[in-house]
Amino acid sequence: MEETCKNVYITTPIYYVNDVAHIGHAYTTIIADMLARYSRLTGHNTYFLTGTDEHGQKIAQSAEARGRTPKEYADEVSGKFRALWDNFDISYDKFIRTTDEQHKLGAQKAFEKMYNKGDIYKGEYEGFYCVSCETFFTEKQLIDEQFCPDCGRPTSIVKEESFFFKLSAYEDKLLKWYEENEDCILPRSKKNEIVNFVKSGLRDLSISRTSFEWGVKLPESINEPKHVMYVWLDALINYISALGYGSNEEKFEFWPASIHLVGKDILRFHAIYWPAFLMSLELPLPKHIAAHGWWTRDGEKMSKSKGNVVDPKQVADAYGLDAFRYFMLREVPFGQDGDFSQKALIDRINSDLGNDLGNLLNRISGMSGKYFDFKVSSIDVEKFHKKELDEVNKILENVEDFIFNMQINRFLEDLWKVLTIANKAIGDYEPWSKMKEGKTEEAMALVALITNIMAKVSILLQPVMPEKIEKIATSLGIHINTELYNKLIVNKELLNDVTITKVDQLFPRVEEPLIEQAPETKKDKAESEKKSDKQEEPDNLITIDKFFETTIKVGTIVEAEEVPKSKKLLKLQVDLGEDKNRQILAGIKEFYSPIDLIGTQACVVANLKPAKLMGMLSEGMLLAAKDENGLCLVRPEKTKISGTKIS
Ligand SMILES: [Zn+2]
């Protein structure tokens, strides 16, 4: 994606209908969707293509095994992919199927053109064929002279009449293209592998089959009715047939592709065959071909036999689609393999999304509501917070480079640095103290600063988490579109006056895995539970007198603030009746934000020996209950007069 180019064309691979959608498909599609949404937001004319690959011997065999025609079988599986993407609100512009008439026309036109150019000739193919991978191998490539190097299944010797594409003639041209276009293949490490492969020599490519019928027929002008197209040629052409190549050319203004997103297992087809086909067709080459890694689960390879395959819909249903999207995009540097675990996902939800993002929004609505009747004006932000604004703008200026280089995890890291600036500013400037001192303008400037930061970050996060960001936008009284993007991000301006609306907690804390564990991990958990049962203490009985040695009172929290540099502590001022300002340091920061506590009641141990925590005096303790689901304060059921004794 180049900043300068107005038309942007983004593709996922077309998914083979011999598989159910798993986390890998979801990952590719979510990255593509994020890029497409980003491209639209930033004002580009965008076209986003996904779809299904439906031809080949494997599909014919799978259909036969089920007593269906190949088309019936393809309809069913293709429909499932499409339904999943619709359920995920994937913003594709076209869902292509290689069984579409428009696609067949495009594939035939391309074949004809390459044939007429002299790049296709008829010969005889003899090779070791793996039905499962639909690929021929040379004897050298086989494992133990018999087995497929990709999937390990036995291969069979196949000798058949075949058309060939003169791939060998494109070796030098491909190497020149790789050399002149530094970022044509991402990440760079993968590009080096491709370059070395091409340098080791390319053989002509068999591109037709006579041993089965489930495929696109060769063009009539060639008059070879026994032949169908090799499934990879057929599939790759989808990227241009979708734009109307060979039919109506309706959307051909979008060619060349800005980015083809692919899994690393199919990079070779995209980075060698596809550019060679395009050179033969005399069409411009794609700007980027980006290969991502694979996903494991809890550190192990996923497989049907282990029963540990991650079902993306199950994860999104349990944890929320936007949290799942954020997790996938944030967790793994592009191109590397990623590991899915519920623990890692829960950590991201509770810390990045709940604490850093969600709580900041709560604080905006809390402070703007308490001090300013929810009205926020940016008028004095520059005056009091130029330093913070400069820091924010400096990060945001460069953050888009990460998107153009497919470093989405670093893009998100930097947005979180900006959120940290906002959270830190609250601690540094203590708007509640400013209000006490009557410095209303300064308090307003601070609230407006964090509101503006939230707005800027939300604009850039919208392509990542469209649904949750819509809620934030509603709360901030803004509408995220290209105009606002230009104003706040490109021109670095501030918001006009806004009215804040309170929203429900955006990312409620997740305390334990919401999906039943894969078989192995489940066993581990059961064992650790057994252990903790054994450790339970026997009952210790005490007399009532002993109990009354502890004075417990109802306290009303009048002030609450974070203790700087402490992960756990909040500093509270508690009204205990006779003692209106009892200072208590409570280790509850992970579970409560100060704004949520002010004005609420809690049960306080009032006769505890004072203690110093982080250099500050703490004179009491709040009663709280903590279990594996987290911590909550113990409070009177109804509001009681401050200082009421509990017995
Ligand atoms: Zn194989």
Side-chain angles (χ1 to χ4, degrees):
M1 307 221 303
E2 256 78 63
E3 290 132 289
T4 47
C5 123
K6 196 72 189 150
N7 282 339
V8 169
Y9 181 29
I10 295 162
T11 70
T12 72
I14 46 175
Y15 301 119
Y16 204 39
V17 294
N18 209 30
D19 203 357
V20 293
H22 54 65
I23 190 170
H25 299 115
Y27 181 51
T28 324
T29 309
I30 285 168
I31 298 171
D33 183 63
M34 183 262 168
L35 294 176
R37 288 174 186 270
Y38 196 87
S39 167
R40 293 187 198 106
L41 174 68
T42 52
H44 295 87
N45 193 20
T46 305
Y47 201 71
F48 170 19
L49 175 72
T50 188
T52 44
D53 179 9
E54 305 180 8
H55 289 128
Q57 192 171 9
K58 216 187 328 182
I59 303 299
Q61 287 173 345
S62 294
E64 204 185 334
R66 289 165 175 79
R68 320 277 297 274
T69 66
K71 181 63 168 45
E72 282 168 357
Y73 176 64
D75 284 349
E76 183 194 319
V77 184
S78 175
K80 282 184 187 164
F81 272 100
R82 191 167 182 155
L84 179 66
W85 303 150
D86 289 343
N87 182 278
F88 275 14
D89 200 21
I90 297 298
S91 63
Y92 61 83
D93 294 291
K94 186 178 174 74
F95 186 98
I96 192 172
R97 302 181 55 186
T98 52
T99 49
D100 290 343
E101 208 49 45
Q102 181 183 333
H103 169 72
K104 288 183 197 166
L105 289 172
Q108 287 171 338
K109 171 79 185 293
F111 196 102
E112 189 171 41
K113 179 144 194 204
M114 293 191 280
Y115 183 83
N116 290 340
K117 203 179 171 194
D119 277 342
I120 290 177
Y121 63 91
K122 193 157 133 185
E124 194 171 61
Y125 196 88
E126 188 183 77
F128 298 86
Y129 187 65
C130 173
V131 174
S132 183
C133 300
E134 314 253 7
T135 309
F136 277 97
F137 296 98
T138 61
E139 199 168 355
K140 247 184 9 195
Q141 291 172 302
L142 297 183
I143 294 169
D144 295 338
E145 298 172 353
Q146 188 191 350
F147 300 104
C148 169
D150 285 353
C151 73
R153 293 184 176 87
T155 57
S156 46
I157 297 177
V158 173
K159 189 173 176 178
E160 61 178 70
E161 187 184 85
S162 173
F163 284 92
F164 286 82
F165 176 76
K166 280 186 189 166
L167 187 62
S168 56
Y170 286 91
E171 227 173 86
D172 292 342
K173 285 175 196 152
L174 284 168
L175 289 171
K176 188 162 174 261
W177 180 60
Y178 302 142
E179 200 183 317
E180 287 172 358
N181 297 274
E182 218 176 358
D183 292 331
C184 61
I185 298 165
L186 296 169
R188 297 280 173 81
S189 56
K190 292 279 178 286
K191 183 182 174 185
N192 294 339
E193 285 173 25
I194 293 292
V195 171
N196 289 335
F197 184 86
V198 174
K199 278 184 178 164
S200 74
L202 294 175
R203 293 152 54 102
D204 289 350
L205 194 64
S206 165
I207 54 164
S208 77
R209 293 284 179 273
T210 55
S211 51
F212 60 93
E213 288 179 358
W214 181 238
V216 179
K217 298 273 176 219
L218 299 196
E220 274 178 26
S221 61
I222 295 172
N223 194 24
E224 291 280 1
K226 276 192 310 191
H227 288 257
V228 295
M229 265 178 231
Y230 172 53
V231 66
W232 268 107
L233 172 63
D234 165 11
L236 287 165
I237 289 168
N238 96 86
Y239 299 126
I240 51 175
S241 70
L243 302 178
Y245 181 84
S247 57
N248 54 28
E249 305 257 320
E250 209 172 33
K251 296 281 178 189
F252 215 71
E253 77 215 47
F254 283 101
W255 190 257
S258 315
I259 188 161
H260 291 310
L261 279 164
V262 300
K264 66 181 179 184
D265 50 328
I266 54 172
L267 179 62
R268 196 176 287 179
F269 298 95
H270 282 81
I272 301 173
Y273 302 171
W274 180 229
F277 294 153
L278 288 166
M279 287 173 186
S280 178
L281 293 171
E282 294 167 12
L283 289 173
L285 302 193
K287 298 261 186 270
H288 304 292
I289 299 162
H292 64 72
W294 286 325
W295 284 84
T296 53
R297 178 174 191 168
D298 300 310
E300 287 191 55
K301 215 181 151 187
M302 281 182 247
S303 76
K304 279 182 201 160
S305 58
K306 276 191 210 159
N308 68 343
V309 177
V310 177
D311 172 0
K313 180 153 188 310
Q314 190 188 23
V315 177
D317 286 349
Y319 290 95
L321 177 59
D322 278 358
F324 182 45
R325 285 171 69 103
Y326 174 78
F327 170 78
M328 296 197 102
L329 296 172
R330 175 68 184 77
E331 192 72 6
V332 197
F334 187 83
Q336 295 181 21
D337 290 345
D339 184 52
F340 176 86
S341 74
Q342 295 196 72
K343 186 184 175 301
L345 173 57
I346 291 169
D347 284 351
R348 289 284 177 204
I349 292 173
N350 288 345
S351 107
D352 298 11
L353 300 179
N355 282 353
D356 301 338
L357 183 67
N359 269 351
L360 187 64
L361 186 69
N362 289 346
R363 298 173 93 176
I364 291 171
S365 76
M367 290 192 286
S368 68
K370 188 173 175 200
Y371 305 139
F372 306 115
D373 194 24
F374 295 105
K375 304 237 180 331
V376 176
S377 158
S378 303
I379 193 153
D380 285 327
V381 178
E382 302 258 12
K383 183 170 154 197
F384 293 107
H385 296 291
K386 185 154 182 346
K387 185 179 128 253
E388 286 86 359
L389 277 182
D390 287 347
E391 282 176 56
V392 168
N393 287 333
K394 201 174 156 214
I395 295 175
L396 295 185
E397 244 168 47
N398 298 311
V399 84
E400 297 198 342
D401 292 346
F402 292 129
I403 292 202
F404 301 126
N405 297 322
M406 291 301 298
Q407 295 177 299
I408 298 168
N409 63 314
R410 296 189 60 190
F411 166 77
L412 291 171
E413 267 170 42
D414 270 17
L415 293 186
W416 255 254
K417 282 183 199 160
V418 174
L419 291 177
T420 305
I421 294 174
N423 277 313
K424 185 172 174 297
I426 299 172
D428 289 351
Y429 292 92
E430 300 189 338
W432 48 91
S433 311
K434 303 283 183 215
M435 288 305 287
K436 261 189 195 163
E437 294 160 20
K439 295 175 179 165
T440 321
E441 276 173 23
E442 285 185 42
M444 173 63 96
L446 189 276
V447 174
L449 170 75
I450 60 173
T451 305
N452 274 282
I453 289 178
M454 182 56 110
K456 285 173 194 258
V457 169
S458 296
I459 291 169
L460 294 171
L461 269 183
Q462 189 219 36
V464 177
M465 298 188 283
E467 195 193 321
K468 293 289 185 185
I469 296 300
E470 181 60 34
K471 291 201 168 127
I472 296 181
T474 305
S475 172
L476 300 183
I478 58 174
H479 185 58
I480 295 178
N481 54 21
T482 307
E483 193 189 337
L484 193 69
Y485 164 82
N486 285 332
K487 179 179 156 85
L488 264 63
I489 305 295
V490 180
N491 298 331
K492 300 174 186 158
E493 290 171 29
L494 296 175
L495 289 171
N496 302 334
D497 294 355
V498 289
T499 303
I500 308 294
T501 321
K502 239 178 135 57
V503 287
D504 293 341
Q505 209 179 348
L506 278 180
F507 298 98
R509 255 192 101 72
V510 180
E511 302 294 355
E512 60 180 9
L514 301 174
I515 298 173
E516 208 183 332
Q517 298 285 338
E520 308 92 306
T521 41
K522 201 172 155 187
K523 201 178 96 205
D524 296 346
K525 201 186 162 203
E527 261 163 26
S528 73
E529 273 168 6
K530 229 186 274 165
K531 256 182 230 158
S532 69
D533 280 352
K534 276 183 203 154
Q535 286 164 352
E536 216 160 62
E537 304 262 312
D539 291 343
N540 281 325
L541 304 178
I542 59 161
T543 61
I544 187 103
D545 294 337
K546 184 110 178 165
F547 171 75
F548 277 122
E549 287 174 13
T550 312
T551 308
I552 307 176
K553 288 180 172 180
V554 173
T556 304
I557 300 166
V558 287
E559 281 296 353
E561 62 187 90
E562 292 184 353
V563 174
K565 290 188 192 149
S566 168
K567 270 189 170 172
K568 290 190 173 161
L569 291 178
L570 292 181
K571 187 167 91 179
L572 310 174
Q573 304 296 333
V574 182
D575 179 358
L576 284 177
E578 289 171 8
D579 187 353
K580 297 270 178 230
N581 256 317
R582 181 74 74 90
Q583 176 163 299
I584 296 175
L585 296 166
I588 56 173
K589 189 172 177 177
E590 290 166 80
F591 307 96
Y592 289 96
S593 63
I595 204 84
D596 295 327
L597 290 171
I598 295 167
T600 67
Q601 292 196 316
C603 301
V604 180
V605 178
N607 62 338
L608 202 64
K609 241 186 190 169
K612 265 199 167 175
L613 297 172
M614 300 208 48
M616 286 172 290
L617 202 61
S618 179
E619 303 171 275
M621 187 177 89
L622 303 190
L623 295 190
K626 189 177 181 184
D627 63 7
E628 56 180 3
N629 296 326
L631 174 146
C632 74
L633 290 177
V634 177
R635 306 173 186 281
E637 191 193 1
K638 290 176 186 155
T639 304
K640 289 280 142 194
I641 296 165
S642 299
T644 302
K645 217 175 159 208
I646 294 170
S647 58

